[in-house]
Amino acid sequence: MKFIRSLSLALLLSSVCLTGCEQDSYDSGTGPNSLLQADFVELSVNSEKRIYQAETDNGTLLSFDHEYQIDWVEKADTSYRAVLYYNLTGGNGTCRPISASQIPTLEIIPPHQVKEMKTDPVKLESAWLSKQGKYLNMGLYIMTSETTEESPKQKIAIINDSIRTNTGGKRIAHLTFYHDQNSIPEYYSKKLYVSILCDSLDCDSICLHINTYQGIWTKTF
């Protein structure tokens, strides 16, 4: 069964080199990394927990020159959301993966499941809908400090406040970005990409609300 791994209230973003890949220093001109590309993708994982292909947000299918293993892949026969760095090695989308960073796919939670609503501010860099409309992506900066495994964790999610019908009969899902700073000191910022899987929403458009340090940011997609 194939599904997208969803991270509920998670703020973990791993960046690893794929097993068997080479770490080459950047070289200008026609060096090994001069044609490096990066895309938001769905990674396809086989029964042996190895990735064998990826589909970009533009709908391009990338076939790997051989199967790869990533240490944060935990389940077989599934798909993971990630930023993939790769070099094209041939026609028909054949590529050599260089590294992959997992992107949290935020769980959409109904308001009655939230005991206490938290909207601590974040720094919003960008928000955009993927070309096929499957994902709503965000680039954020979270304020944090030095932490250990035992330290409290910040929590993020998406709350589905309501779905309203406008005068034209279109259904609009109003979503609020949940963020619990959890009393962590705000010493420096950490970049984070997250995605919302829009397929799970029965609506025609999405109105997203995010509390930023400059005030409430609202946009309809």
Side-chain angles (χ1 to χ4, degrees), residues 108-172:
I108 300 176
I109 300 174
H112 69 268
Q113 292 185 10
V114 182
K115 293 182 179 179
E116 183 181 1
M117 187 63 184
K118 298 281 189 176
T119 57
D120 293 327
V122 298
K123 295 180 180 180
L124 178 65
E125 182 182 64
S126 57
W128 70 98
L129 197 64
S130 65
K131 185 175 181 179
Q132 296 181 313
K134 186 173 183 179
Y135 288 102
L136 178 55
N137 304 306
M138 290 175 280
L140 308 166
Y141 285 94
I142 304 294
M143 299 302 295
T144 186
S145 62
E146 295 294 338
T147 58
T148 65
E149 289 296 327
E150 294 75 26
S151 300
K153 307 298 182 184
Q154 297 189 49
K155 301 176 182 180
I156 61 176
I158 293 294
I159 310 303
N160 187 359
D161 294 324
S162 63
I163 295 182
R164 308 170 192 172
T165 303
N166 64 17
T167 55
K170 299 295 185 181
R171 292 167 57 85
I172 305 171

Side-chain angles (χ1 to χ4, degrees), residues 39-184:
D39 278 298
F40 280 40
V41 301
E42 289 180 6
L43 294 175
S44 296
V45 180
N46 63 19
S47 59
E48 297 178 347
K49 300 181 183 180
R50 292 178 177 269
I51 58 172
Y52 61 93
Q53 69 178 21
E55 184 177 356
T56 73
D57 276 7
N58 290 331
T60 300
L61 188 64
L62 301 172
S63 299
F64 295 171
D65 50 14
H66 61 280
E67 295 174 355
Y68 286 86
Q69 196 167 22
I70 308 178
D71 59 5
W72 47 259
V73 170
E74 299 176 346
K75 291 186 176 292
D77 298 319
T78 186
S79 295
Y80 282 86
R81 186 76 170 146
V83 177
L84 177 68
Y85 299 86
Y86 63 95
N87 285 327
L88 291 175
T89 57
N92 300 320
T94 303
C95 71
R96 177 171 66 93
I98 304 300
S99 66
S101 298
Q102 188 177 7
I103 299 176
T105 303
L106 299 184
E107 183 177 356
I108 300 176
I109 300 174
H112 69 268
Q113 292 185 10
V114 182
K115 293 182 179 179
E116 183 181 1
M117 187 63 184
K118 298 281 189 176
T119 57
D120 293 327
V122 298
K123 295 180 180 180
L124 178 65
E125 182 182 64
S126 57
W128 70 98
L129 197 64
S130 65
K131 185 175 181 179
Q132 296 181 313
K134 186 173 183 179
Y135 288 102
L136 178 55
N137 304 306
M138 290 175 280
L140 308 166
Y141 285 94
I142 304 294
M143 299 302 295
T144 186
S145 62
E146 295 294 338
T147 58
T148 65
E149 289 296 327
E150 294 75 26
S151 300
K153 307 298 182 184
Q154 297 189 49
K155 301 176 182 180
I156 61 176
I158 293 294
I159 310 303
N160 187 359
D161 294 324
S162 63
I163 295 182
R164 308 170 192 172
T165 303
N166 64 17
T167 55
K170 299 295 185 181
R171 292 167 57 85
I172 305 171
H174 286 262
L175 308 181
T176 297
F177 187 81
Y178 177 103
H179 174 222
D180 183 1
Q181 186 73 25
N182 209 4
S183 300
I184 295 174

Side-chain angles (χ1 to χ4, degrees), residues 161 174-177 207-211 216-219:
D161 294 324
H174 286 262
L175 308 181
T176 297
F177 187 81
C207 185
L208 180 63
H209 309 270
I210 302 176
N211 186 25
I216 302 298
W217 180 92
T218 300
K219 185 174 181 178

